[in-house]
Each structure stands twice: as structure tokens, then as C-alpha cells.
């Protein structure tokens, strides 16, 4: 098979030789052939040495690398990549476990498949393409999933309407690529929850907080918990299991709040320790008594691009300052940022300045990140997006 060729400018191959999986459009000297968005292209140095093969895209990231070898991107390529990822999740005790059927199977660059995310909820795989190349490959990927996962896979739901570059004008509709059984309850660490994979955010649930939720559970006993930005209540049901005295869940989306209530009911029917409020975070804090001794702040990404970073940091600082003001002495604060453009150091500095502003004495107990099924390709440090701190506030 012959592919189109992308020839880099002199010296622009260095990051690729260190296995960074992206080529920016500014690094390209010429393109031979007429690749369309999503086509496979081979990448060469200015001196015509082969470097890699990947998906071509119109935009600032021009090529997402699939292989640094001269590989043919066929069914066996997809099968092997997916099998490698699946074996890792089995070895992590996430796949095939008795008390857990929720995990990320493919985490883009972290699984050497840039542009692709696949989350597993019980017998359903929810697939998200972030590049046109992955969109074109969706049926091959579905085939590979079926071969690797066998009977444990019954449905593949494609959810890319919101993640594909809209300029590509693909008129994609979300829907099933395989199966079609609507199975909407999944299990994480023994707790059940409804996954709104059709209308919900991301693929329906924030799987990336699994380990942090488990840690939170160990702090919950006898505490009054506020789960701010609760979405479908993940941290709340762990706090309930951890024997919290009370748990209040807050989110500005009433849809999220009704799902939170359903999830609590599913695990802790008629348990009066829990209440949920559809309200803006700052408004809620303004009214709240200083009644909480365990607060979770897991806001949406305040900064999706570098140019709004300053405002985003202000947002994180204000939010954390309010929590420091409100939390009871001896309280524990779990605070997060999932903005990729906010580094671990910057986030810590921002929380530091919020703490200083409140005048409270604060200790870092844990530095938190994303779990092992959201692996970070060491050559692609941009893949580290979730960071958090568990703090003790005197
Ligand atoms: N902690 C959750 C994920 C949080 S996602 C989990 O473990 O599943 C961020 C949530 O913040 C979304 O549900 C969104 O509806 C909510 N949100 C966004 N802006 C908000 C605001 N101003 N006040 C309260 N909630 C907000």
C-alpha cells in the first residue's frame, strides 16, 4: 500500500525521534500526494528518512502518529494495540474483576492510539474519536474490540458528535456500531451507578477519579461532607459507604443532580444522610454555614486553552479560597483541576495562594493524579491532565 508523504523541515524531526506522537503544521516542509483529512500519511525527514506513520488532520496538530515503524495499519494493527491495552487493564485488576466493570480501555496517546478514547461500562464500550482518522477507523476498531473482548462485549456505542473537529463537517451521529442493548448500570469498586452514556458528559462518567474516590472514602467516617461539582455523585456514594455523617452534593446542572439522587438511591435506599442541590458553586458557598469538615472541589476544566489560563487560575484561586474560608478546623479538602494546560506546579501554587489568602494553616496529605487506566505516555507529558491535592486545614 502506498501512502501520502509528509516531509518535515530540517531539524523538525527531533521530537519525533523522541517518540512524541504529534506533528505540528509549522514543522511541515511539503506534502506529497493529496491527503484528505483523516488519511494515513508517512512522515519523512527533510533528507527522506522514514520517521513514522499517522493520521493526517487539518489544524495545528497535523499528524497524530500511530507507529514509528513501517507498519501497515490493518486489522491486525488495531487488534494488537487493543489487545495490549486490554491485557494491561486485566493485569491492573480492572477488567474481569468481580466488583468492578468500569474502566478506560484506550486512553489516546497513553495507549499509543492518539485521538481515540474507549471506556468500558459493564458489557458496553463507549468509543470517542477526537480525530477524523479515528472516525474513519471506527468499524475496524469495533471489529478489533469484538475479537479481543469476546463475549464480554455486547454493545459498542459511538459518541463522537461533540469530540470530532466540527470543521470537518462529518455529520456524525452518535449511535451503536455493534449490538444495541441499553444497559445503563455499571459497577465501580462495588458501587453501582447509572451511566448516561447517551447524553451525559464525556463518555457518561468520570472514570478518572476512581482511585481518588477510594481515598476519599477512607477519610469520610463521621464527617460532614460537601461534594461540590458532584456531577453524577461519584464522590458522594463513596463518602456514604465510608460512613460519613452527612453528604451534600451540589452541581449547577439539575440533570446531574437527579442522576446523583438516583445513584444514591441505588446504593443506599432511603438513607437520609444524603441531600442534593442544583445550584451554582459560588452561590451555594455564599449561603452555606461553615458546617463541613470534608469538602471536595472537582470543577470542570476552567482553561481549555493557554490563552485563557490567567482567568482560569483566578477561578481556581477564588474557589479554593472560599473553601478554605468555609471548612471547619481539622477539615480535609480534596481539590482538583482537570485542565491540561494547568501544570501540577501551577495548580499547587494557585492553591497555595488561596490558602495564604485565608490565613489558615494547611498541610498537603496526598498529591493526586489520574489512575493507571489513564496512563501517561512518557514521551507525551501533555497526557498528564488530572491533578489534585488532599489537604488538612487546621
Ligand atoms: N466530580 C464529578 C465530576 C465533575 S465534572 C465526578 O466525580 O463524577 C464538573 C461538574 O461541574 C459538571 O457536572 C458541571 O455540571 C458542574 N458545574 C459546572 N459549573 C458549575 C458551577 N458554576 N457550579 C456548580 N457546578 C458546576
Amino acid at each position: 500500500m502506498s501512502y501520502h508523504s509528509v516531509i518535515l523541515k530540517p531539524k523538525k524531526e527531533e521530537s519525533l525521534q523522541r517518540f512524541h506522537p504529534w506533528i505540528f503544521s509549522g514543522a511541515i516542509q511539503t506534502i506529497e500526494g493529496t491527503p484528505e483529512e483523516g488519511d494515513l500519511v508517512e512522515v519523512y525527514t527533510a533528507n527522506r528518512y522514514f520517521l513514522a506513520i499517522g493520521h493526517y488532520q487539518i489544524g495545528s496538530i497535523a499528524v497524530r502518529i500511530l507507529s514509528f515503524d513501517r507498519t501497515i495499519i490493518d486489522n491486525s494493527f488495531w487488534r494488537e494495540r487493543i489487545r495490549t491495552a486490554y491485557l494491561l487493564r486485566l493485569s491492573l485488576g480492572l477488567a474481569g474483576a468481580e466488583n468492578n466493570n468500569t474502566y478506560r480501555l484506550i486512553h489516546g496517546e497513553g495507549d499509543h492510539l492518539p485521538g481515540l478514547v474507549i471506556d468500558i461500562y459493564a458489557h458496553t464500550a463507549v468509543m470517542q474519536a477526537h480525530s477524523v482518522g479515528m472516525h474513519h477507523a471506527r468499524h475496524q476498531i469495533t471489529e478489533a474490540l469484538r475479537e479481543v473482548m469476546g463475549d464480554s462485549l455486547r454493545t459498542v456505542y459511538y459518541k463522537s458528535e461533540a469530540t470530532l473537529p466540527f470543521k470537518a463537517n462529518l455529520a456524525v451521529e452518535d449511535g451503536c456500531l455493534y449490538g444495541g442493548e441499553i444497559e445503563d448500570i455499571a459497577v465501580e469498586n462495588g458501587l453501582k451507578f447509572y451511566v448516561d452514556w447517551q447524553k451525559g458528559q464525556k463518555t457518561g462518567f468520570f472514570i478518572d477519579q476512581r482511585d481518588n474516590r477510594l481515598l476519599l472514602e477512607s477519610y469520610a467516617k463521621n464527617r460532614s461532607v460537601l461534594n461540590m461539582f458532584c456531577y453524577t455523585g461519584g464522590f458522594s456514594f463513596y463518602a456514604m459507604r465510608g460512613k460519613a455523617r452527612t453528604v451534600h452534593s451540589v452541581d449547577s446542572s439539575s440533570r446531574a443532580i437527579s442522576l446523583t439522587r438516583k445513584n444514591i438511591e441505588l446504593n443506599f435506599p432511603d438513607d437520609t444522610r444524603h441531600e442534593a442541590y442544583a445550584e451554582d458553586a459560588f452561590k451555594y458557598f455564599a449561603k452555606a454555614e461553615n458546617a463541613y469538615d470534608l469538602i471536595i472541589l472537582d470543577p470542570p476544566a476552567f482553561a481549555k486553552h493557554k490563552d485563557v489560563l490567567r482567568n482560569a487560575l483566578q477561578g481556581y484561586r477564588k474557589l479554593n479560597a472560599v473553601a478554605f474560608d468555609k471548612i471547619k478546623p481539622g477539615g480535609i479538602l480534596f481539590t482538583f483541576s482537570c485542565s491540561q494546560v494547568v501544570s501540577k506546579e501551577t495548580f499547587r501554587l494557585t492553591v497555595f495562594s488561596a490558602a495564604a489568602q485565608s490565613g489558615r494553616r494547611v498541610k498537603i496529605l496526598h498529591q493526586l493524579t489520574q489512575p493507571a487506566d489513564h496512563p501517561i505516555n512518557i514521551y507525551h507529558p501533555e497526557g498528564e491532565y488530572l491533578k489534585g491535592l488532599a489537604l488538612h486545614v487546621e
Side-chain angles (χ1 to χ4, degrees):
M1 200 191 292
S2 82
Y3 296 126
H4 309 278
S5 302
V6 166
I7 320 294
L8 300 186
K9 292 176 184 164
K11 300 221 168 84
K12 289 294 183 189
E13 68 276 14
E14 285 167 7
S15 74
L16 235 67
Q17 284 167 334
R18 276 180 270 114
F19 305 117
H20 192 283
W22 295 345
I23 294 172
F24 291 99
S25 54
I28 296 176
Q29 177 95 285
T30 50
I31 295 177
E32 292 177 357
T34 48
E36 291 191 13
E37 189 157 30
D39 280 352
L40 287 163
V41 290
E42 287 182 337
V43 184
Y44 292 88
T45 64
N47 297 331
R48 304 293 166 130
Y49 284 106
F50 174 86
L51 287 167
I53 181 164
H55 282 144
Y56 179 65
Q57 184 95 14
I58 294 165
S60 118
I61 303 174
V63 185
R64 288 175 164 83
I65 304 303
L66 294 172
S67 173
F68 293 94
D69 301 318
R70 272 189 191 275
T71 312
I72 296 177
I73 309 299
D74 55 6
N75 289 345
S76 80
F77 167 85
W78 295 108
R79 195 170 54 235
E80 287 322 304
R81 284 285 157 96
I82 288 173
R83 191 191 310 282
T84 304
Y86 185 58
L87 291 177
L88 174 62
R89 275 63 178 179
L90 279 172
S91 75
L92 293 171
L94 293 171
E98 212 164 88
N99 68 342
N100 189 78
N101 59 25
T102 305
Y103 59 93
R104 177 155 291 191
L105 173 62
I106 302 291
H107 185 57
E109 288 80 1
D111 286 293
H112 307 302
L113 291 172
L116 182 66
V117 164
I118 300 177
D119 285 341
I120 306 293
Y121 299 107
H123 304 94
T124 302
V126 182
M127 188 196 305
Q128 252 180 2
H130 294 254
S131 70
V132 180
M134 287 300 178
H135 172 68
H136 290 334
R138 66 197 182 285
H139 296 295
Q140 273 178 302
I141 296 166
T142 302
E143 261 323 292
L145 279 171
R146 291 182 58 191
E147 283 177 48
V148 170
M149 297 184 68
D151 291 344
S152 69
L153 182 74
R154 295 192 204 138
T155 299
V156 177
Y157 187 74
Y158 189 57
K159 189 172 195 281
S160 301
E161 257 178 52
T163 54
L164 281 166
F166 75 99
K167 282 189 198 138
N169 227 342
L170 295 166
V172 181
E173 281 186 20
D174 293 345
C176 286
L177 298 177
Y178 168 66
E181 185 187 344
I182 304 292
E183 175 199 39
D184 58 0
I185 295 186
V187 182
E188 182 186 273
N189 284 324
L191 290 161
K192 287 179 268 177
F193 58 92
Y194 288 97
V195 196
D196 187 7
W197 30 271
Q198 299 190 57
K199 295 219 176 66
Q201 300 182 45
K202 291 216 187 176
T203 63
F205 191 65
F206 286 77
I207 302 177
D208 55 2
Q209 290 285 23
R210 182 199 313 106
D211 292 355
N212 301 326
R213 289 195 265 256
L214 207 53
L215 179 68
L216 175 107
E217 181 178 351
S218 70
Y219 278 97
K221 199 167 178 188
N222 292 331
R223 291 190 184 266
S224 309
V225 179
L226 171 61
N227 181 11
M228 184 55 83
F229 308 98
C230 67
Y231 188 43
T232 56
F235 283 101
S236 303
F237 37 89
Y238 279 74
M240 298 285 283
R241 188 168 66 180
K243 300 195 168 54
R245 186 178 309 142
T246 57
V247 179
H248 292 172
S249 304
V250 179
D251 198 287
S252 57
S253 147
S254 52
R255 191 182 169 83
I257 288 301
S258 77
L259 262 172
T260 296
R261 290 202 177 107
K262 272 175 74 178
N263 284 335
I264 295 284
E265 198 54 32
L266 196 60
N267 293 284
F268 307 96
D270 302 320
D271 195 322
T272 53
R273 290 176 299 153
H274 182 260
E275 285 170 45
Y277 305 93
E279 178 122 59
D280 168 77
F282 285 98
K283 284 193 186 144
Y284 186 87
F285 270 126
K287 283 189 289 186
E289 314 259 306
N290 296 19
Y292 298 108
D293 52 12
L294 178 46
I295 298 180
I296 302 122
L297 294 178
D298 184 22
F302 285 167
K304 295 214 160 129
H305 303 285
K306 282 213 172 82
D307 36 348
V308 293
L309 186 57
R310 259 174 62 103
N311 284 348
L313 294 180
Q314 289 271 11
Y316 286 119
R317 192 181 48 71
K318 276 193 200 151
L319 183 65
N320 282 279
V322 176
F324 283 127
D325 278 343
K326 292 278 173 182
I327 200 163
K328 277 192 188 167
I332 304 283
L333 175 64
F334 275 64
T335 180
F336 297 95
S337 161
C338 59
S339 302
Q340 199 164 25
V341 296
V342 176
S343 71
K344 198 161 48 181
E345 292 72 27
T346 310
F347 181 62
R348 186 163 153 174
L349 213 61
T350 307
V351 176
F352 158 89
S353 80
Q357 186 182 331
S358 72
R360 306 284 295 265
R361 284 170 194 258
V362 178
K363 294 185 197 86
I364 297 176
L365 306 179
H366 303 273
Q367 308 195 45
L368 309 170
T369 181
Q370 62 214 60
D373 55 340
H374 294 60
I376 302 155
N377 176 344
I378 202 160
Y379 305 110
H380 178 257
E382 298 92 327
E384 183 173 4
Y385 68 98
L386 182 63
K387 57 244 126 205
L389 296 167
L391 304 166
H392 178 266
V393 187
E394 280 180 27

